[in-house]
Amino acid sequence: MQRIYFFLFQKRLLWGVFSLLWVIGCRLEPLPTAPFDYTLTHLDSSFDKIYLYDAVQLRNKDIIATGKVLLKTGEFDALAIRLNRFGQVKEVAHFNSESTWDDEIACMAVDSLENIYLAGRVRDPHLIFRGIVFRISTQDSLRKMWHRMYPPPLSPRSTFSKIVSFNPEELTVLRGTLSGQEPPDSSAGFFRIDSMGWLRGCGQYFNYYDVKGAVLLKQQVIFGGVSYGLGTSGGAGTISRLDPLSCTIQHRAHFTEVHSQFNYMADIARGSDGHILAILNANHLENNQTVPTKPYYFRPYFIKALPKLGLPVVNDQTAYIALPSDTAMGRHSVSSLIGTQDGGFIYASNYTNHEVPNDFYAKIYKCSTNLGAGAMWQTPLKLPQTNVYKIVPLADNGVLLLAGRSFEVEINRIIRINSQGVME
């Protein structure tokens, strides 16, 4: 009888061990992970809407997203959000320059110590505008170190469109108009500040309608934009090379697709081989028309330029190369472009049909800078009811997309795309 009980005990023990191992084995299987796709709302009880315009990944893989926040009081503050590598919010901070003043942040730079600089414009209660720069520490917590306001003539009726850290001690601030909302009266320009925000020189002007994209190349700032009076009826895409130390724009090149009414640079980037990459948005005219059939439909054209005198194109096969473009929607434009380390580039195309409510989407493409090699992603990533504002590179060759529901409403969605063009 004892032998029978011992046998049954052994059997149950073995079955228990087997069951335990089976459960453990199941738990070792990877659990499904939700996509890194967050619409950031309800971050603070004082917030109404948030607008994210830029982001950067720190060395510890945290992500800092920045922009502006509309408070429930009706005022705007500068905004910074820290997320971990999985997209979960770790910290939220907003910063005010002066009581009841609107701080409208448009761009960001980061220095070698991972301090961030937020730039844009501030509006006082008398509707007078000044340029503004905040310096924010990212060590331990998001903390404002200082802010500086820059009155005219450094910021005449314009906003600070780009800020670039070109050496450990100094930054270049580029200013342009707000998406053409103000007269193109030569109010665009640039100047230098040090890491404490004090003016260090330049204060130069140029006849730009806006500034689109800026990259650093051996302490030279390469930036894009659009110039008035140089296109078929008002605009030419422009790439310029700026030497901040000598306060001179050394080289400038204008690009106009000859069959277009209006042209502007969507964005520029630096290729892995050192070339300058650009996409020109061209409002194409069909069959000798003088007014486009689709006035807000821009065809994207790829340009690959050499960063030397005159910024010439590499060869005839790298200028005005038409990129993929859907034709069904009423409004189309490319919004952002980055170069990748494997000889490619990624760009975002936004489509909007104003005749049909909630009918809009974005497509994200990855192509080789040798366009004859074809697409590097087998199919573009399509995001329904989304328009992408900016593409941000990550350390693992993935990217972040800063997006919103359309051009007109809040940009508060962050999406992570892996190196294969798949949402993670």
Side-chain angles (χ1 to χ4, degrees):
M1 183 65 69
Q2 289 179 343
R3 290 182 178 179
I4 294 174
Y5 283 138
F6 181 71
F7 172 76
L8 292 175
F9 173 76
Q10 283 184 316
K11 186 175 181 180
R12 288 178 181 176
L13 180 62
L14 290 172
W15 176 252
V17 171
F18 173 77
S19 300
L20 180 62
L21 291 174
W22 183 82
V23 169
I24 292 174
C26 288
R27 290 182 178 177
L28 290 177
E29 291 295 324
L31 296 174
T33 303
F36 184 155
D37 180 359
Y38 293 94
T39 300
L40 300 181
T41 56
H42 309 298
L43 298 179
D44 188 292
S45 60
S46 67
F47 290 3
D48 185 2
K49 297 178 181 179
I50 70 172
Y51 304 79
L52 300 177
Y53 295 144
D54 212 341
V56 66
Q57 188 173 46
L58 304 180
R59 287 186 285 268
N60 69 356
K61 302 300 176 66
D62 278 356
I63 296 161
I64 306 293
T66 63
K68 64 183 182 181
V69 56
L70 175 62
L71 302 174
K72 290 181 180 177
T73 60
E75 299 154 8
F76 282 98
D77 274 359
L79 174 69
I81 302 172
R82 186 195 301 266
L83 305 97
N84 65 18
R85 69 179 71 185
F86 307 108
Q88 297 157 335
V89 175
K90 296 174 63 177
E91 184 182 3
V92 180
H94 59 108
F95 310 100
N96 185 27
S97 57
E98 303 290 341
S99 176
T100 74
W101 289 27
D102 286 329
D103 302 302
E104 301 178 355
I105 296 304
C107 55
M108 176 183 72
V110 60
D111 64 19
S112 59
L113 300 176
E114 298 191 325
N115 298 304
I116 59 175
Y117 300 82
L118 308 181
R121 71 180 188 177
V122 61
R123 179 175 58 183
D124 71 17
H126 303 291
L127 303 183
I128 297 174
F129 290 96
R130 301 168 177 83
I132 192 166
V133 175
F134 291 83
R135 182 180 178 182
I136 310 297
S137 171
T138 64
Q139 300 296 321
D140 301 324
S141 64
L142 297 169
R143 177 175 54 87
K144 184 174 81 170
M145 304 176 73
W146 50 257
H147 76 267
R148 306 269 185 259
M149 284 185 281
Y150 304 87
L154 292 179
S155 56
R157 292 194 298 174
S158 59
T159 189
F160 295 165
S161 302
K162 299 293 175 185
I163 183 167
V164 180
S165 177
F166 71 93
N167 66 39
E169 292 81 30
E170 291 190 327
L171 300 97
T172 295
V173 180
L174 295 160
R175 64 178 183 269
T177 60
L178 273 177
S179 303
Q181 296 174 11
E182 295 149 358
D185 58 354
S186 300
S187 62
F190 64 95
F191 60 95
R192 294 198 330 259
I193 60 175
D194 63 19
S195 59
M196 294 302 295
W198 303 117
L199 185 64
R200 283 293 174 261
C202 299
Q204 304 296 315
Y205 298 88
F206 47 75
N207 187 22
Y208 264 50
Y209 180 72
D210 207 351
V211 173
K212 294 287 187 180
V215 296
L216 189 65
L217 184 66
K218 296 180 180 179
Q219 292 195 340
Q220 308 289 298
V221 179
I222 313 294
F223 66 97
V226 54
S227 292
Y228 253 126
L230 295 173
T232 305
S233 65
T238 305
I239 304 176
S240 298
R241 178 170 175 167
L242 164 66
D243 181 1
L245 294 178
S246 65
C247 297
T248 58
I249 294 181
Q250 296 179 322
H251 313 306
R252 179 178 292 178
H254 302 293
F255 299 90
T256 302
E257 204 281 322
V258 294
H259 300 293
S260 297
Q261 182 191 45
F262 185 84
N263 302 263
Y264 71 94
M265 283 299 166
D267 203 357
I268 67 166
R270 183 173 60 185
S272 59
D273 55 4
H275 292 142
I276 302 303
L277 313 179
I279 292 180
L280 182 77
N281 279 332
N283 195 196
H284 201 76
L285 297 171
E286 301 284 355
N287 301 321
N288 298 318
Q289 295 171 337
T290 57
V291 178
T293 304
K294 298 179 179 179
Y296 298 106
Y297 191 95
F298 290 89
R299 290 186 177 180
Y301 290 86
F302 177 74
I303 296 169
K304 185 176 181 180
L306 294 166
K308 62 181 185 180
L309 181 64
L311 290 162
V313 297
V314 176
N315 53 49
D316 292 339
Q317 287 73 46
T318 60
Y320 305 111
I321 306 300
L323 295 171
S325 176
D326 293 357
T327 58
M329 305 298 276
R331 179 175 180 173
H332 169 227
S333 62
V334 170
S335 61
S336 186
L337 161 73
I338 65 167
T340 59
Q341 295 301 313
D342 55 0
F345 64 97
I346 300 173
Y347 69 97
S349 285
N350 293 320
Y351 300 87
T352 306
N353 183 355
H354 287 291
E355 296 180 358
V356 180
N358 297 318
D359 187 13
F360 51 88
Y361 61 91
K363 281 189 173 180
I364 318 300
Y365 298 83
K366 182 174 182 181
C367 302
S368 170
T369 56
N370 174 15
L371 294 180
M376 299 182 76
W377 288 344
Q378 187 172 3
T379 57
L381 174 67
K382 183 176 180 179
L383 300 171
Q385 295 190 329
T386 299
N387 281 167
V388 171
Y389 180 80
K390 188 174 180 64
I391 304 171
V392 179
L394 298 176
D396 59 0
N397 297 319
V399 297
L400 289 179
L401 307 178
L402 302 185
R405 293 197 299 273
S406 75
F407 289 111
E408 290 80 13
V409 299
E410 59 267 28
I411 301 166
N412 61 0
R413 186 179 174 192
I414 301 181
I415 305 166
R416 181 186 173 105
I417 309 299
N418 67 19
S419 60
Q420 303 304 310
V422 178
M423 288 179 61
E424 289 191 337

